[in-house]
């Protein structure tokens, strides 16, 4: 497979203003995404992990411009998405789709599966004439049957709804799909089905995925490369296997050691972090992780570390290396 | 050490709804020994929480406990009066829940919320109760407990709130703590902190824990024994190592195989089909329609829990026949 960067994100920032009082004065900013650089290769699954509130979802949505970023660049096949006007953006969205976390709130309860799927078909003129064949094809691709077409979302289980959400994203033949925690609302056995489906669809259609999740085991299973995010910043990027074998950033080490292993005989040593994640309103000066880091150096408290390549394809933002 | 603390036999809790009778808990059996951590694992809606609430007798209308026994220290909790039950709840058996944010009352200082439990069960002066409350905050790892005890719940993070809940639950030295998905709403690093705290507190105070979760990783990490639940029934009950290394019930096997693998090439094993409805559940084994080993007998006769190996209980016709 030829390798080129389908998507490049440069210095992306999203700051939400905090307003209060009668004049809605700005009293501070939440730095949800604070200077993120990533490159996603065509055909790969790029995993994005982090704890709740670290900005992973905001990052995913900023890339699609579902939220307008404050600063930075998003290049999709070399074109800058942030310069597009509304109409151009709409045409671009055909190539970039998203599957949301909660299959209960991401589907319109008043629309049948047929209606949900035919909206994007009409919008982008995917099929000329009768859309029936295409609807059926998409529905079968995600493992649903013909009789499901005229049902409403409430008639489906969580796993089936997530399949509808995936079907909706597939209809427009996208190149890039953001998967925002697609299985975290589901049980293990249903999760296995959805993960298998996503992998199968990728093999068939050569999709590029941005797979966002807080579940490290799932990300490991799905992704080619993984980025670890903490407080709006990327801490480490590496090839999946390598990240799990050898992590450099103290945060990644703690995060991975915290994952419970389904093996009662494993004698893994846990690195316990003290305290909680600081608020993104007033992130620490210097390295974001310095108040909780066990190997903190004086420099960590005043200079922000940059993401550097310390081994081949292994990027770390830490002063220790 | 291995005396039975709690023994549940044939527990049945049904919900009488307009659409029919929901057999949420349908003949659950397992035991908890002194000082043990027993995991209750199963997928959403299989009746895990309902089992816990039945033990505490907290089932509300239209639910009803219609049969079975919950023997706690030789007494059947289903037969004693509500007044006697009140003396047990919070003192002998206490419970922590999934969502700490909704379990704490937002309009009271956490001091009052801890003291409330202590007052209820102990004959104690207010000052001493306050001292105890501080002690429990400290034991659950909250820094500067003297100042923090005057705070309201919203001033704590959810990990901290769960620590406070644990403090409240342990404040009367219960012999059994029921933890209903206490870390499901938390992040992995916070989850690791809470699990660590529970293990340490257990070592110190020696209570038994019934740990309810759907996360098999957490089970492997802290439990001694595991009960696997499916559609209102316990399918397998054994030592944690046996469950993970030598699962006998096809459902347990399927559940373990469905976990994401380390190797990316390997396809995840799916369990075909869906959970049967709990209104009018199927006659025979509830896993019949999804099981790849099922035979004729599984459709018509319900399998009984049998001790297949010493301390390894399985409810499956196929397994019991092959022995």
């Amino acid at each position: 497979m030829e390798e080129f960067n389908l998507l490049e994100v440069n210095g992306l920032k999203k700051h939400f203003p905090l307003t209060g009082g009668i004049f809605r004065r700005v009293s501070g900013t939440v730095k949800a995404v604070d200077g993120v650089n990533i490159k996603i290769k065509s055909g790969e699954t790029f995993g994005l992990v982090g704890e709740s509130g670290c900005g992973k979802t905001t990052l995913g949505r900023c890339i699609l411009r579902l939220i307008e970023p404050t600063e930075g660049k998003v290049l999709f096949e070399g074109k800058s998405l942030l310069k597009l006007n509304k109409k151009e953006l709409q045409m671009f969205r055909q190539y970039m789709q998203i599957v949301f976390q909660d299959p209960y709130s991401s589907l319109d309860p008043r629309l049948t599966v047929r209606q949900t799927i035919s909206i994007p078909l009409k919008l982008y003129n995917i099929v000329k004439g009768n859309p029936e064949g295409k609807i059926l094809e998409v529905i079968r691709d995600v493992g649903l049957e013909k009789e499901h077409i005229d049902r409403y979302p409430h008639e489906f289980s969580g796993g089936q709804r997530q399949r509808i959400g995936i079907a909706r994203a597939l209809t427009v033949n996208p190149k890039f799909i953001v998967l925002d925690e697609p299985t975290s609302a589901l049980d293990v056995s249903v999760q296995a089905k959805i993960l298998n489906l996503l992998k199968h669809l990728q093999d068939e259609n050569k999709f590029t995925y941005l797979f966002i999740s807080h579940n490290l085991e799932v990300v490991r299973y799905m992704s080619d490369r993984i980025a670890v995010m903490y407080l709006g910043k990327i801490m480490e990027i590496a090839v999946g296997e390598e990240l799990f074998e050898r992590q450099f950033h103290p945060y990644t080490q703690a995060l991975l050691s915290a994952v419970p292993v389904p093996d009662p005989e494993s004698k893994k040593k846990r690195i316990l972090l003290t305290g909680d994640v600081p608020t993104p309103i007033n992130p620490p000066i210097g390295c974001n992780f310095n108040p909780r880091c066990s190997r903190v150096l004086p420099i960590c408290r005043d200079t922000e570390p940059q993401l550097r390549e310390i081994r081949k394809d292994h990027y770390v933002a830490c002063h220790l290396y | 050490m291995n005396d039975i603390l709690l023994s549940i036999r044939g527990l049945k809790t049904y919900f009488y709804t307009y659409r029919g009778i929901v057999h949420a808990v349908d003949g659950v059996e397992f035991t908890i020994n002194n000082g043990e951590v027993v995991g209750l694992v199963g997928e959403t809606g299989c009746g895990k929480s309902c089992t816990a609430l039945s033990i505490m007798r907290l089932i509300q209308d239209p639910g009803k406990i219609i049969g079975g026994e919950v023997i706690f220290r030789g007494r059947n909790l289903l037969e004693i009066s509500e007044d006697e039950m009140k003396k047990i709840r919070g003192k002998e058996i206490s419970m922590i829940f999934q969502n700490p944010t909704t379990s704490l009352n937002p309009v009271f200082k956490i001091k009052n919320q801890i003291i409330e439990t202590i007052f209820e069960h102990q004959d104690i002066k207010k000052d001493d109760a306050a001292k105890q409350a501080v002690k429990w905050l400290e034991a659950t790892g909250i820094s500067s407990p003297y100042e923090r005890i005057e705070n309201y719940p919203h001033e704590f993070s959810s990990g901290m709130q769960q620590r406070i809940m644990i403090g409240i639950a342990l404040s009367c030295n219960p012999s059994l703590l029921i933890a209903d998905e206490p870390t499901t709403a938390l992040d992995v690093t916070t989850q690791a902190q809470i699990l660590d705290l529970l293990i340490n507190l257990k070592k110190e105070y020696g209570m038994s824990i019934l740990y309810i979760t759907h996360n098999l990783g957490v089970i492997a990490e802290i439990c001694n024994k595991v009960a696997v639940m499916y559609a209102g029934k316990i399918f397998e009950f054994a030592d944690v190592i046996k469950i993970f290394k030598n699962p006998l019930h096809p459902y347990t096997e399927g559940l373990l195989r469905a976990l994401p693998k380390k190797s990316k090439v390997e396809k995840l094993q799916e369990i075909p089909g869906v959970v049967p409805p709990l209104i009018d559940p199927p006659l025979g084994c509830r896993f019949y329609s999804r099981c790849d080993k099922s035979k004729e007998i599984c459709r018509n006769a319900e399998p009984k829990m049998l001790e297949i190996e010493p301390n390894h209980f399985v409810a499956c016709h196929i397994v019991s026949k092959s022995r």
Side-chain angles (χ1 to χ4, degrees):
Chain A
M1 201 196 315
E2 47 170 338
E3 279 203 348
F4 63 95
N5 292 332
L6 184 74
L7 188 90
E8 273 184 52
V9 176
N10 291 325
L12 194 75
K13 287 186 184 176
K14 176 66 201 178
H15 294 179
F16 292 100
L18 278 176
T19 51
I22 43 169
F23 297 115
R24 317 276 304 147
R25 255 192 314 228
V26 176
S27 56
T29 48
V30 176
K31 294 174 180 168
V33 176
D34 202 17
V36 164
N37 300 308
I38 48 176
K39 293 185 175 74
I40 300 178
K41 291 178 196 144
S42 172
E44 79 170 341
T45 301
F46 189 86
L48 183 61
V49 287
E51 298 179 89
S52 43
C54 75
K56 23 181 219 308
T57 296
T58 311
L59 175 59
R61 293 187 183 186
C62 279
I63 289 173
L64 300 184
R65 270 182 78 183
L66 292 173
I67 300 174
E68 287 297 329
T70 316
E71 227 182 283
K73 264 190 194 157
V74 179
L75 302 174
F76 184 80
E77 294 185 313
K79 286 202 193 70
S80 176
L81 286 183
L82 303 187
K83 290 196 181 125
L84 300 177
N85 66 30
K86 225 176 161 184
K87 218 168 175 187
E88 290 167 327
L89 180 67
Q90 200 184 52
M91 287 327 290
F92 245 91
R93 290 242 169 90
Q94 186 181 345
Y95 306 117
M96 317 164 48
Q97 287 289 315
I98 183 165
V99 176
F100 296 97
Q101 170 173 6
D102 183 2
Y104 292 85
S105 59
S106 60
L107 294 172
D108 189 329
R110 292 188 205 85
L111 299 183
T112 61
V113 176
R114 181 199 302 276
Q115 288 165 319
T116 301
I117 289 174
S118 46
I119 292 170
L121 284 180
K122 270 184 213 143
L123 190 62
Y124 295 109
N125 271 323
I126 305 284
V127 269
K128 310 225 158 32
N130 192 357
E132 199 62 29
K134 177 72 183 174
I135 294 177
L136 208 62
E137 183 196 320
V138 178
I139 279 293
R140 293 225 166 106
D141 278 348
V142 297
L144 295 173
E145 288 304 322
K146 196 179 173 186
E147 71 252 29
H148 292 126
I149 287 187
D150 287 306
R151 292 196 195 159
Y152 287 93
H154 74 265
E155 297 174 76
F156 293 97
S157 67
Q160 286 175 319
R161 285 186 211 203
Q162 201 55 291
R163 285 173 196 266
I164 302 169
I166 295 168
R168 178 174 59 185
L170 290 182
T171 43
V172 294
N173 309 322
K175 294 177 181 167
F176 175 65
I177 303 179
V178 175
L179 302 165
D180 189 359
E181 308 241 16
T183 61
S184 45
L186 308 174
D187 276 317
V188 218
S189 66
V190 185
Q191 166 175 290
K193 289 179 191 171
I194 297 291
L195 295 181
N196 281 339
L197 171 69
L198 288 169
K199 275 206 160 180
H200 170 75
L201 290 171
Q202 184 174 38
D203 291 342
E204 297 272 294
N205 304 294
K206 307 274 170 281
F207 290 139
T208 306
Y209 286 151
L210 172 62
F211 193 96
I212 302 174
S213 180
H214 65 270
N215 186 329
L216 289 140
E217 299 282 308
V218 171
V219 170
R220 173 187 205 164
Y221 178 69
M222 290 297 289
S223 314
D224 299 306
R225 289 190 303 142
I226 298 173
V228 180
M229 199 166 175
Y230 182 78
L231 267 184
K233 291 201 165 81
I234 303 287
M235 301 308 231
E236 189 159 358
I237 302 179
V239 174
E241 270 96 70
E242 173 155 328
L243 189 79
F244 279 85
E245 292 292 311
R246 189 161 180 208
Q247 322 86 33
F248 287 94
H249 202 289
Y251 174 66
T252 318
Q253 289 168 352
L255 185 70
L256 294 188
S257 80
V259 181
V261 196
D263 176 4
E265 281 170 333
S266 94
K267 294 271 174 287
K268 188 184 55 170
K269 229 182 131 40
R270 251 196 245 133
I271 307 169
L272 279 186
L273 290 178
T274 47
D276 292 308
V277 183
T279 99
I281 301 169
N282 252 328
I285 298 166
C287 174
N288 269 344
F289 188 57
N290 82 60
R292 304 175 79 192
C293 185
S294 55
R295 297 162 70 192
V296 63
L297 305 171
I299 184 176
C300 303
R301 299 194 208 277
D302 47 53
T303 316
E304 196 192 312
Q306 297 301 318
L307 208 57
R308 284 179 306 118
E309 187 166 12
I310 60 162
R311 277 174 70 172
K312 195 179 176 299
D313 291 328
H314 197 142
Y315 298 82
V316 181
C318 181
H319 290 301
L320 290 168
Y321 305 102
Chain B
M1 190 61 193
N2 272 343
D3 326 325
I4 294 173
L5 176 72
L6 179 84
S7 141
I8 299 172
R9 288 188 214 137
L11 181 68
K12 287 188 181 180
T13 303
Y14 290 179
F15 286 80
Y16 296 85
T17 65
Y18 290 117
R19 294 171 63 191
I21 302 166
V22 181
H23 300 229
V25 178
D26 207 3
V28 160
E29 325 215 342
F30 64 94
T31 51
I32 302 175
N33 292 338
N34 277 320
E36 248 178 14
V37 183
V38 174
L40 184 57
V41 67
E43 297 180 88
T44 317
C46 72
K48 310 184 289 290
S49 294
C50 224
T51 305
L53 292 174
S54 304
I55 297 171
M56 294 287 261
R57 274 183 46 191
L58 289 172
I59 296 288
Q60 282 178 338
D61 241 19
K64 227 176 174 179
I65 303 172
I66 61 149
E69 287 176 329
V70 178
I71 314 274
F72 178 74
R73 294 195 151 157
R75 278 206 294 174
N76 186 354
L77 296 187
L78 302 183
E79 279 170 358
I80 61 176
S81 69
E82 181 60 29
D83 279 345
E84 279 177 293
M85 193 63 212
K86 270 187 186 158
K87 283 182 194 148
I88 287 179
R89 268 187 224 126
K91 179 150 173 40
E92 299 282 339
I93 308 178
S94 56
M95 191 160 175
I96 52 175
F97 298 90
Q98 176 169 359
N99 198 339
T101 317
T102 51
S103 314
L104 290 165
N105 191 332
V107 298
F108 292 112
K109 287 179 180 173
I110 58 153
K111 181 181 179 179
N112 302 342
Q113 303 193 44
I114 306 178
I115 289 178
E116 189 189 354
T117 315
I118 300 176
F119 259 154
E120 185 70 33
H121 297 292
Q122 293 175 31
D123 191 14
I124 194 172
K125 278 200 204 109
K126 204 171 178 190
D127 286 354
D128 293 333
K131 267 181 208 149
Q132 276 202 26
V134 171
K135 188 193 99 185
W136 281 108
L137 273 196
E138 206 170 5
T140 53
I142 288 177
S143 52
S144 48
Y146 283 98
E147 292 86 54
R148 294 295 264 162
I149 202 159
E150 303 290 340
N151 287 148
Y152 289 91
H154 75 267
E155 294 171 273
F156 293 88
S157 69
S158 52
M160 288 290 170
Q161 287 173 348
Q162 196 59 285
R163 283 170 192 270
I164 295 167
M165 283 307 298
I166 293 171
I168 294 175
L170 295 185
S171 61
C172 292
N173 280 324
S175 39
L176 176 65
L177 174 69
I178 301 178
D180 188 0
E181 307 241 12
T183 61
T184 308
L186 307 174
D187 279 314
V188 263
T189 54
T190 321
Q191 166 172 290
Q193 292 173 1
I194 296 290
L195 290 180
D196 196 64
L197 174 71
L198 278 174
I199 293 169
N200 286 336
L201 289 172
K202 194 203 146 269
K203 268 185 205 150
E204 203 174 332
Y205 298 97
M207 73 279 186
S208 304
I209 302 178
L210 174 62
Y211 198 101
I212 300 174
T213 180
H214 63 265
N215 187 330
L216 288 155
V218 173
I219 289 275
E221 205 128 306
I222 78 160
C223 296
N224 306 117
K225 281 189 184 167
V226 187
V228 181
M229 195 165 181
Y230 181 82
K233 292 196 176 292
I234 304 289
F235 272 0
E236 190 162 1
F237 179 56
D239 209 65
V240 66
I241 295 184
K242 279 188 183 157
I243 290 280
F244 280 88
K245 300 288 166 189
N246 181 26
L248 292 178
H249 199 288
Y251 175 66
T252 318
E253 279 179 57
L255 210 55
L256 288 169
R257 275 201 306 250
L259 288 172
K261 300 283 181 315
K262 283 182 183 168
S263 108
K264 287 177 42 202
V265 236
E266 220 176 313
K267 201 168 174 244
L268 298 182
Q269 298 273 329
E270 303 173 3
I271 303 176
V274 288
V275 183
L278 292 175
I279 297 177
D280 289 328
L283 260 183
C285 175
R286 299 207 170 161
F287 194 54
Y288 169 73
S289 59
R290 305 176 75 185
C291 185
D292 52 0
K293 292 175 183 155
S294 62
K295 295 215 171 84
E296 195 52 34
I297 181 174
C298 307
R299 188 164 67 182
N300 304 316
E302 215 189 294
K304 291 239 164 1
M305 275 283 258
L306 294 173
E307 194 164 2
I308 303 286
E309 285 168 15
N311 291 319
H312 194 152
F313 297 84
V314 184
C316 177
H317 291 302
I318 308 298
V319 176
S320 49
K321 275 218 169 142
S322 65
R323 302 276 152 161

